[in-house]
Each structure stands twice: as C-alpha cells, then as structure tokens.
Amino acid sequence: MHYIQSIHSILRWLVLIALVYAIIRAFIGMSGRKPFQEGDHQAGFFATLVCDLQLLLGLALYIFGPMGWKNVRNRGMGEIMPNAVERFFAVEHIAMMVIAIALVHIGRSKSKKALGETKGHKSAFWFYLIALLLILASIPWPFRTGFEGHKWF
Ligand code: HEM
C-alpha cells in the first residue's frame, strides 16, 4: 500500500502539469481564435489519461488503505464526520476528485466534437480550469491544518 501512496502522491504533479498545459493551449487558441486541432486534443487526452490513472490508484488506496473504506467500516460515519481529517479522506477527497475527473472527461469529449472549430478551445478551457481548481482545493497539502504529515511529492 505504501508504494501506491507514494506513486499517488508524486502523480499529483503530473496531473497538475498536464492540466495547466492543456489550459494554456486552450487559452492561447481561444484568444487567437484558432481552430481546435489534433495537438490540442492530445494535450487534453494526456490530462484525462493521468487523471484516470490517479483515480485507479486513489480507488486502491480507498479500498485497501487505512484512511478510506476500512476507517468508515471500523469507526462509522458518526465518528468520522466530526473529525476534519478523517472526513476529508473518507468523503471529501474522493467526492471532489471524482467530480473533477468527470469534468476533465466532459471537457475532452466536448472539445473533441469541435475539432477544427474555434469553440473547442472554450469547452476545453472552462472544464479543465474548473477541474484544476477543484483538484487544487482537494489535495491534502502539507501546509493545511491536519495534513502536516503528508508530503509535497
Ligand atoms: C486528480 C486526482 C487526485 C489527486 C491530485 C490526489 C492527490 C492525493 C495526495 C497528494 C494525497 C496524499 C498522499 C501522501 O500524503 O502520501 C492523496 C491521498 C489519498 N487519496 Fe488522492 N488524489 C486524487 C484522487 C483520488 C481519488 C479519486 C481517490 C479515491 C477514489 C483518492 C484517494 C486517496 C486516499 C484514500 C488517500 C489517503 C492515503 C492515506 O493516507 O492512507 N484520491 N491523494
């Protein structure tokens, strides 16, 4: 479980870099009124790929790790919900990340349908941007109270 957690921790940076790259491409395309092209789609596709990988690793951590399902089963929601850190891993992290990854998928599929048109950039930009903000807000950053033991990498 430990090495899965380490990969999940490092992969966050690839998720963030892939999304920022796709967002910058979409922004440039949008402001230059360029058509949405294959390269733009590939940037979004790569972001979807790393997000899906992160989802798989996250699910493994949730099912087999100490902070997910096991904690819910052993202690019960009544004890978990008042504790900010336990609630975060049992409910908030998974819920927000699943929503964010779904938005990345929607953005990719909408922009793919608009290949060759300028509006593809607009879908990509907004869906990826909102997903990025949700992800940034739902990472257990070590500077956040309660997550001091968590890593930067
Ligand atoms: C883009 C999506 C995601 C990002 C960027 C992300 C990032 C992270 C980070 C940075 C940690 C802390 C790792 C550490 O301290 O070593 C973590 C922990 C965790 N994540 Fe995610 N995560 C994502 C999605 C998910 C999803 C979808 C799930 C569940 C299905 C999940 C389940 C977990 C669990 C259970 C832990 C706690 C591990 C533990 O301390 O035992 N993550 N995540």
Side-chain angles (χ1 to χ4, degrees), residues 25-151:
R25 281 190 77 114
F27 182 75
I28 293 172
M30 200 164 72
S31 32
R33 296 184 191 284
K34 294 180 200 152
F36 189 81
Q37 284 171 335
E38 194 53 41
D40 303 307
H41 175 247
Q42 270 165 14
F45 177 75
F46 183 68
T48 335
L49 197 79
V50 282
C51 279
D52 285 353
L53 205 61
Q54 189 70 324
L55 174 69
L56 278 179
L57 295 171
L59 275 175
L61 286 173
Y62 196 85
I63 296 167
F64 303 111
M67 295 302 284
W69 176 240
K70 274 188 190 156
N71 201 29
V72 174
R73 207 185 40 199
N74 292 342
R75 287 177 29 82
M77 276 300 184
E79 287 189 49
I80 286 178
M81 292 312 265
N83 181 310
V85 174
E86 285 183 88
R87 186 179 63 234
F88 179 85
F89 284 115
V91 184
E92 292 163 1
H93 185 69
I94 175 168
M96 299 306 266
M97 293 310 196
V98 167
I99 294 171
I101 295 170
L103 290 177
V104 176
H105 274 273
I106 298 170
R108 191 200 57 95
S109 121
K110 274 187 173 286
S111 56
K112 191 185 176 190
K113 286 194 190 115
L115 261 176
E117 298 171 56
T118 48
K119 69 176 186 194
H121 290 297
K122 205 173 155 190
S123 317
F125 179 79
W126 286 110
F127 279 97
Y128 298 160
L129 182 68
I130 295 167
L132 175 70
L133 295 177
L134 279 181
I135 290 172
L136 282 172
S138 314
I139 286 178
W141 296 109
F143 60 80
R144 287 175 60 173
T145 333
F147 302 125
E148 292 83 0
H150 289 271
K151 301 192 188 104

Side-chain angles (χ1 to χ4, degrees), residues 13-32:
W13 294 107
L14 206 55
V15 168
L16 297 177
I17 291 167
L19 275 175
V20 167
Y21 178 66
I23 290 168
I24 291 174
R25 281 190 77 114
F27 182 75
I28 293 172
M30 200 164 72
S31 32

